[in-house]
Amino acid sequence: MIWLTYRQHRGQLLVMAGLLAALGVMFTVSWLEASAFVASHRGLGAGDLDAALGERYQAVYTLFGWLPIVAPALIGVFWGAPLLGREFERGTHQLVWTQGVSPRRWLAIKLAVLGGAVALGGLAMSAMVSAWRPLFRTDTFGNVGIFNMLGVEPVAWWVFALMLGTAAGAVLRRTLPAMAVVVGVLVVMTFALFSMSDHYATPSRVVTADGSLAQDVRLVSRAWADPAGAELTSPPPGVCPRESGLGRGERAQVAHERCLIVKGYRYVFYVHRPEMFWRFQLTDAAILLSGAGLLGWLTVRRVPR
């Protein structure tokens, strides 16, 4: 069965290996070029250098913005959805599941082999991003896109997407509808986990007069503190009337906030600090892998019927 699984899915395995190799080449080339760029611009300050790198490698950052959603979607759409949906569409399950291998064993071996390959692919991408990131000094915790490509997040997302596509194919018995379900559920899950993550830990309270925050923190909410220290959702409107002629644009907002600071008001931020990185990683992974296990159970229950 392991050899049969490889023969049936070797095209998908080779495509994934090719895409990971292409990503590896892109990371390697950009890292070497960026190293030379940094060496030749040592006179720039850290902020200016980061801005220059961001502008120079905007295409790489754009790719990063899409990868956390696109990579699991590709796994769910092209690996998970056809796994059972295509068998039902073509009627081949009537032949396959009447042989010496039972449907449960057939499905268990396929999911084990493909799930292992997907997990290894997720680990490979996580390792490449981890090696590439330090040179560019991008946020790892505050930047959710980078966060979802580090640690165990890719493994959890990719395995969840595989099980989601397989379960959708088992229930709907059609490949294209199962693909649509995969994309929709992954988008919903991405935003749901981002919203839920605010509650993984108690946020830290930061009071500041200049509105700046430490690097690589995840903002939960903001408020104001009056001169006595009492917290307000917003300052009373009569404290600093807006200057006439400035309108309601950015200049008016800046002038209004400066007036509040002069009168003793302070910014209040609730943030999660970067020390929470692994707590958030493991919590996300536990939720996604629990969901994958539940979907796997649903698939195993559905197939013999």
Side-chain angles (χ1 to χ4, degrees):
M1 271 301 298
I2 295 176
W3 176 248
L4 176 63
T5 301
Y6 166 74
R7 290 291 300 272
Q8 284 186 313
H9 300 278
R10 60 184 173 184
Q12 296 160 317
L13 291 168
L14 290 173
V15 168
M16 182 180 75
L19 290 175
L20 287 173
L23 282 174
V25 170
M26 181 197 70
F27 287 138
T28 302
V29 171
S30 62
W31 190 90
L32 292 173
E33 188 183 45
S35 297
F37 180 83
V38 170
S40 62
H41 293 78
R42 294 187 182 278
L44 291 177
D48 293 336
L49 184 59
D50 288 344
L53 286 171
E55 183 178 354
R56 188 178 182 86
Y57 297 100
Q58 183 61 43
V60 179
Y61 291 146
T62 301
L63 178 63
F64 270 6
W66 287 102
L67 266 180
I69 294 178
V70 171
L74 291 175
I75 295 295
V77 166
F78 294 109
W79 287 49
L83 186 63
L84 291 173
R86 189 172 296 165
E87 298 283 353
F88 288 126
E89 284 178 336
R90 295 177 177 177
T92 51
H93 66 290
Q94 298 178 19
L95 172 64
V96 173
W97 295 341
T98 56
Q99 306 304 306
V101 178
S102 67
R104 288 181 186 271
R105 185 183 173 196
W106 179 92
L107 183 60
I109 294 176
K110 283 214 166 194
L111 289 179
V113 172
L114 297 179
V118 162
L120 288 176
L123 284 175
M125 191 178 78
S126 173
M128 288 189 291
V129 175
S130 297
W132 177 89
R133 183 206 58 79
L135 179 65
F136 293 82
R137 293 197 291 272
T138 54
D139 290 349
T140 57
F141 184 59
N143 187 327
V144 179
I146 299 293
F147 177 82
N148 285 345
M149 290 188 290
L150 292 171
V152 295
E153 287 275 332
V155 176
W157 275 108
W158 291 21
V159 171
F160 175 78
L162 174 68
M163 294 301 181
L164 173 62
T166 304
V171 172
L172 300 176
R173 299 193 171 207
R174 294 290 184 272
T175 303
L176 288 178
M179 289 178 173
V181 168
V182 167
V183 174
V185 172
L186 285 178
V187 171
V188 171
M189 279 296 295
T190 299
F191 289 101
L193 277 187
F194 178 70
S195 300
M196 289 168 57
S197 65
D198 288 347
H199 307 286
Y200 290 172
T202 302
S204 301
R205 185 174 185 264
V206 178
V207 180
T208 175
D210 58 6
S212 62
L213 288 172
Q215 188 178 9
D216 205 15
V217 297
R218 190 174 293 191
L219 179 63
V220 177
S221 63
R222 63 182 73 202
W224 284 90
D226 66 14
E231 194 166 304
L232 309 169
T233 55
S234 61
V239 174
C240 285
R242 294 184 183 273
E243 297 179 26
S244 60
L246 290 179
R248 297 180 176 273
E250 184 177 348
R251 287 181 58 204
Q253 182 66 23
V254 170
H256 183 249
E257 292 183 1
R258 284 177 180 171
C259 172
L260 291 171
I261 296 301
V262 169
K263 294 194 175 184
Y265 286 80
R266 295 292 181 262
Y267 298 96
V268 178
F269 298 105
Y270 287 91
V271 300
H272 291 299
R273 299 185 183 278
E275 292 80 11
M276 293 287 103
F277 179 87
W278 280 109
R279 179 170 183 170
F280 278 55
Q281 282 263 327
L282 295 176
T283 305
D284 276 353
I287 293 172
L288 290 168
L289 293 178
S290 298
L294 181 61
L295 291 167
W297 175 83
L298 174 64
T299 304
V300 170
R301 293 275 298 177
R302 178 76 176 180
V303 165
R305 298 182 182 180

